[in-house]
Amino acid sequence: MENACILVVDDDKDIVSTLKIQLEKEGFRVFCAYDGEEALKLLTIEDVHLILLDIMMPKLDGFSAIMKIRERQNLPILVMSAKSEDSDKILGLSIGADDYITKPFHSKEVIARVKSQLRRYMQLGGVYSGGDEVRLGRLCYNFSAHILTVDGEPVKLTSTETKIMELFMRHPGHIFSADTIYSRVWGEPVAYNGENTVMVHIRRIREKIEINPSEPEYLKVVWGIGYKLEKK
C-alpha cells in the first residue's frame, strides 16, 4: 500500500491542497484535479490506485465522472460531498462509488477510509485491471471487441445484455443489487419497475450462456440481495 497513487478531485483548491499534504505525509503519491474532465484526462496518463472525488464540480460533475470511470476501471472511488441527503448517497454508491464522505470532514477520517479501501483493493488484486480479456471457466469476455464467448463460440447479446455481462465480468464474485445493475447499465436512477426489467434481462442472458438456465452455473441470484457472476 506504500507509494499508492491517489487522485484528489475537487474544485475547492484549499480542500485539494489540505488532502494532498495529509496524504503525502502518509507516504502516498498524490495527483490533483479540479473538475471531472481533468480527472478523466489524468486517469489516461497516470497509474492511479484510488480516487477521492467531489460531486458538485464544473465541466463534469462527480456522478457523471464515476459512470465514465467505471466503464474501464475498477479502482476504489470515495465520494466527498456537502450533500448529505440519503438519496445522494444511494445514487453515488449505486453508480459505482465505494464509500461516501460528507463534508465537512476530518482529514484523519479520510486517511482511515482511504487505507481501508486500498487494503481491500490490493487484497482482491484489483479484480479488473484494464486487460483486454477476462476468462471465467467456459466464459471469455473481450473488452475491446465487446464480445462474449462460451466454450470458444461467440454469443449473440443485445447491447443491454452486453453491458450487463461486461459489468459482471469486470467484478466476478461481486453481488450487485437489481437497482445497482439498472443504474450502471442504463446510466440513470432506477425507474419504476426497474427490478423486473433487470430480472428479464438476466433471464435472457442465462438462456444464452448457461447449460441449464433453471440451474445456472455462472449467473446466480443471491436471494434478498441481488445477482453475481460466480468465480470459476
Side-chain angles (χ1 to χ4, degrees):
M1 192 160 61
E2 290 184 2
N3 298 320
C5 296
I6 312 296
L7 173 58
V8 180
V9 191
D10 198 312
D11 59 338
D12 188 325
K13 294 187 177 182
D14 288 337
I15 289 177
V16 173
S17 177
T18 299
L19 287 174
K20 184 176 189 296
I21 291 169
Q22 295 300 321
L23 288 164
E24 287 179 340
K25 284 183 179 178
E26 296 293 326
F28 298 115
R29 292 179 60 206
V30 181
F31 300 107
C32 303
Y34 303 99
D35 61 65
E37 288 186 1
E38 188 179 358
L40 294 178
K41 289 177 183 177
L42 265 170
L43 287 172
T44 65
I45 59 176
E46 301 291 354
D47 186 16
V48 173
H49 301 103
L50 181 143
I51 303 174
L52 283 164
L53 180 72
D54 186 32
I55 292 300
M56 303 299 291
M57 295 186 296
K59 295 185 180 180
L60 187 70
D61 66 79
F63 290 140
S64 299
I66 289 170
M67 287 190 287
K68 288 184 177 293
I69 293 165
R70 283 293 180 244
E71 290 175 2
R72 290 300 300 168
Q73 292 172 287
N74 187 39
L75 72 171
I77 300 175
L78 279 69
V79 169
M80 306 179 293
S81 179
K83 302 176 73 175
S84 60
E85 291 86 350
D86 286 342
S87 59
D88 292 307
K89 292 181 181 180
I90 292 169
L91 177 59
L93 294 170
S94 69
I95 63 175
D98 296 280
D99 203 352
Y100 196 106
I101 304 170
T102 302
K103 297 178 180 178
F105 49 72
H106 196 289
S107 58
K108 288 185 178 179
E109 177 192 4
V110 177
I111 297 297
R113 296 200 188 197
V114 164
K115 289 182 176 180
S116 175
Q117 289 294 331
L118 280 173
R119 278 195 298 270
R120 186 182 307 173
Y121 180 66
M122 299 301 184
Q123 286 168 1
L124 291 174
V127 172
Y128 175 68
S129 59
D132 253 6
E133 288 188 347
V134 169
R135 295 179 182 273
L136 292 172
R138 298 185 300 109
L139 308 183
C140 178
Y141 189 81
N142 185 294
F143 291 97
S144 296
H146 304 288
I147 293 175
L148 176 73
T149 58
V150 179
D151 293 326
E153 296 295 323
V155 179
K156 291 184 178 180
L157 299 174
T158 67
S159 174
T160 300
E161 290 166 356
T162 299
K163 290 178 181 177
I164 291 172
M165 280 306 297
E166 185 163 309
L167 174 65
F168 281 117
M169 293 298 284
R170 289 185 191 277
H171 308 276
H174 185 89
I175 302 171
F176 292 99
S177 70
D179 286 357
T180 298
I181 295 170
Y182 189 96
S183 296
R184 291 207 190 180
V185 171
W186 277 264
E188 59 186 34
V190 179
Y192 172 73
N193 213 28
E195 185 173 346
N196 286 336
T197 300
V198 170
M199 182 177 65
V200 169
H201 282 82
I202 294 290
R203 185 176 70 241
R204 289 175 180 167
I205 294 171
R206 281 176 175 162
E207 291 170 353
K208 298 177 181 182
I209 70 171
E210 301 285 0
I211 296 174
N212 182 357
S214 62
E215 296 181 5
E217 178 184 5
Y218 290 98
L219 202 45
K220 296 188 176 183
V221 65
V222 181
W223 295 109
I225 304 177
Y227 302 91
K228 73 172 181 176
L229 186 65
E230 193 71 42
K231 290 184 179 180
K232 293 291 178 182

